[in-house]
Amino acid sequence: MENIRNFCIIAHIDHGKSTLADRLLEITGTVSGKDAQEQVLDDMDLERERGITIKSHAIQMDYVFEGKKYVLNLIDTPGHVDFSYEVSRSIAACEGALLVVDATQGIQAQTISNLYMAVEHDLEIIPVLNKMDMPAAMPEEVKDQIIDLLGCKPEDIIEASGKTGLGIERILERIINFVPAPKGNPQAPLQALIFDSVFNSFRGIIAYFKILNGEIRQGQNVKFFNTEKEYQADEIGVLRLKQEPRKILSTGDVGYIISGIKESKEVRVGDTITDTKNPCTAAISGFEEVKSMVFAGVYPIDTEDYEALRYAIEKLQLNDASLTFEPESSMALGFGFRCGFLGLLHMEIVQERLDREFDMNVITTVPNVSYIVNTNKGEVIEVHNPAGLPDPKYIKNIEEPYITAQIITRSDFIGAIMTLCLEKRGELKRQHYITADRVDMTFELPLGEIVFDFYDKLKSISKGYASFDYSPSGYKPAKLVKLDILLNGEKVDALSTLMHEENAYDFAKKMCEKLKELIPRQQFDIAIQGAIGAKIIARTTVKAVRKDVTAKCYGGDITRKRKLLEKQKKGKKRMKQIGNVEVPQKAFLAVLKLD
């Protein structure tokens, strides 16, 4: 145990975590030759293409320092605010953290929130100033920001570059000297924390764990504390570049267990593994349940694919514990699932993964958040879907979720960002300058307002400089209405949205205009209406495709033309009764991109 060090790398998006991890793996000789590639730990195609980390990855390295051999367990974590849940799990399995700050960008919002998470778990923080080889690096300024944040000495900050390998040996030396070895009792009953799980189509579910007390042997009978299921440890081992089996793992080790589990419900991330004969008395605490922020309906394009979609989402949930889902049905789209996501990027990634990994084409409805409805009878209902809203006459009031948003930006953009947040019904709570030209602003905002395009707008008005992080702050009453879209008098429930009364008129008008462009013309007129309850607040019409029936009449009596037109009119009327309107997939997606 004395020679084990467990640490993770935390930072804001794009500050060079994965590149730094590549250099650490190279210098310790963990990867070499043909395995050495950019972003070694990012094994999903999506991660490589977008240059982001979606899932935390654990890997073990050996390093000889001053004649002693040390085992270093590294966990690389994502940086995007949507995946902060992954970060919290990684932090639970570590004793130290490398806090990476980009020398060209300075401290950003996610840096601070990840740091607070690490400090709460009493992790040893090692500050690293990355990208020192860049011409735009501002080492002195950024060092001052880190000293303000951490209260450390200037010589504690390691100057490094993930690209050139500068300072990597110093980082390894600091980890060995400063990160404490795992504490625990190897003689106590087995107690191990599951911090991740992956699905393998041949071996079933593989759970990753860190042993806090005791030891685990191959073939031992183990029990999962919360689900109370018992298994045999068919194979245990450590996570190198590939999984390497071992006969025994002891306190402080990070490893994996394969026990032939097929059901996703049986492995709960954050659960405790213990021995069946000599169990530990309590589960490991300090692990939090994930809270979904954004909800959307996911439906198969072909209704026959419903079971295949259920299978795909269950498999995806194993690799992504923060995805939640429950079955629901819709008049317009048939059977599907109501899925909970951590944010819009998370939703986009899940859609992309369903398409790539399972070849599932899906329709996603308008994303919305969960509301709390208080009725006249004193009932409290949680609504994830506009269709689940009770009749307005029974509603006493509706409460919507609020978030505390932290935005760090250059001082030139304060005005534009304030305008954006106030438009979104935000309220400025606090503002203070980190340095002369960088400001940290805290707003209270309704979550429903930032679901659509807030992040994109924030990035564009601040030329990419503003960074954003949020945490839920509770519910507040609000004047909300349910906006329905009607096609020829029929409600399309997949396009219903709950929104603030002030925004409903503009939004309905834009939505009708957009649908007019996207719905193909039929043989009859299609009326597109936006309605709140029985009150129509916006309307457009998609004109019918008409054949010129009077073309063969040249000259002659007007009554002949009139007769032909009347006949056509009757036909159109009859067609309108039996015709139905097909809403293309593009229309559902376009609603998300309404400006």
Side-chain angles (χ1 to χ4, degrees), residues 331-332 482 484-494 496 531 533:
M331 296 288 284
K482 179 184 170 193
D484 289 313
I485 296 295
L486 313 176
L487 296 180
N488 278 347
E490 294 278 324
K491 275 186 194 173
V492 183
D493 55 357
S496 296

Side-chain angles (χ1 to χ4, degrees), residues 32 64 84 89 140 147 168 182 198 223 262 283-284 309 353 356 367 410 444 470 528 535 582-583:
S32 56
V64 177
S84 51
R89 304 198 320 223
E140 296 313 314
I147 292 164
I168 303 295
V198 293
K223 182 170 107 175
K262 294 283 189 287
I284 298 162
L309 179 62
R353 285 183 68 184
R356 288 187 184 202
R410 293 243 302 263
E444 189 146 42
Y470 64 83
I528 304 172
K535 188 177 170 193
E582 290 286 313
V583 183

Side-chain angles (χ1 to χ4, degrees), residues 82-330:
D82 277 9
F83 302 113
S84 51
Y85 176 63
E86 289 277 334
V87 183
S88 77
R89 304 198 320 223
S90 311
I91 285 175
C94 294
E95 281 85 33
L98 293 183
L99 182 74
V100 179
V101 180
D102 184 336
T104 61
Q105 304 206 40
I107 282 177
Q108 293 189 293
Q110 204 57 34
T111 318
I112 296 178
S113 81
N114 286 343
L115 172 73
Y116 287 160
M117 223 186 289
V119 170
E120 272 172 31
H121 281 78
D122 282 346
L123 265 58
E124 178 65 40
I125 310 287
I126 299 171
V128 176
L129 194 55
N130 197 19
K131 303 197 187 180
M132 285 299 290
D133 57 317
M134 301 279 275
M138 328 169 280
E140 296 313 314
E141 284 179 44
V142 180
K143 272 186 181 174
D144 289 344
Q145 292 175 21
I146 297 175
I147 292 164
D148 278 353
L149 185 67
L150 282 176
C152 59
K153 299 187 183 74
E155 57 271 18
D156 291 345
I157 301 168
I158 302 172
E159 294 186 2
S161 161
K163 198 176 269 180
T164 61
L166 162 81
I168 303 295
E169 259 107 351
R170 267 196 73 196
I171 292 175
L172 287 163
E173 185 185 323
R174 182 73 66 83
I175 289 166
I176 287 165
N177 289 334
F178 285 90
V179 174
K183 298 177 181 68
N185 181 0
Q187 266 66 53
L190 170 66
Q191 196 182 27
L193 170 77
I194 300 176
F195 65 87
D196 207 350
S197 66
V198 293
F199 180 77
N200 180 312
S201 45
F202 301 106
R203 312 288 310 262
I205 294 163
I206 304 172
Y208 295 169
F209 61 82
K210 177 198 175 188
I211 303 179
L212 298 192
N213 289 309
E215 59 183 30
I216 186 168
R217 294 168 186 276
Q218 189 184 343
Q220 180 178 344
N221 288 330
V222 294
K223 182 170 107 175
F224 287 15
F225 209 87
N226 288 336
T227 55
E228 297 198 336
K229 300 264 186 196
E230 296 184 5
Y231 306 99
Q232 188 177 19
D234 297 336
E235 185 184 306
I236 57 168
V238 293
L239 300 154
R240 309 290 287 214
L241 202 54
K242 302 218 168 15
Q243 291 162 348
E244 288 186 7
R246 295 277 192 273
K247 292 282 182 217
I248 183 167
L249 291 175
S250 186
T251 307
D253 281 329
V254 171
Y256 69 91
I257 177 170
I258 300 176
S259 47
I261 305 170
K262 294 283 189 287
E263 282 287 314
S264 57
K265 299 180 195 71
E266 294 179 23
V267 177
R268 296 264 311 271
V269 171
D271 203 349
T272 305
I273 304 176
T274 187
D275 186 18
T276 41
K277 294 193 183 97
N278 182 15
C280 59
T281 49
I284 298 162
S285 62
F287 191 84
E288 53 189 84
E289 275 289 312
V290 58
K291 281 195 183 69
S292 299
M293 288 292 198
V294 174
F295 296 88
V298 174
Y299 292 86
I301 285 181
D302 197 348
T303 42
E304 290 162 10
D305 294 342
Y306 175 73
E307 280 305 321
L309 179 62
R310 176 195 288 276
Y311 175 79
I313 295 180
E314 276 181 0
K315 290 287 168 281
L316 206 56
Q317 197 181 31
L318 293 178
N319 290 334
D320 181 354
S322 45
L323 173 67
T324 58
F325 70 96
E326 57 184 48
E328 74 161 4
S329 63
S330 142

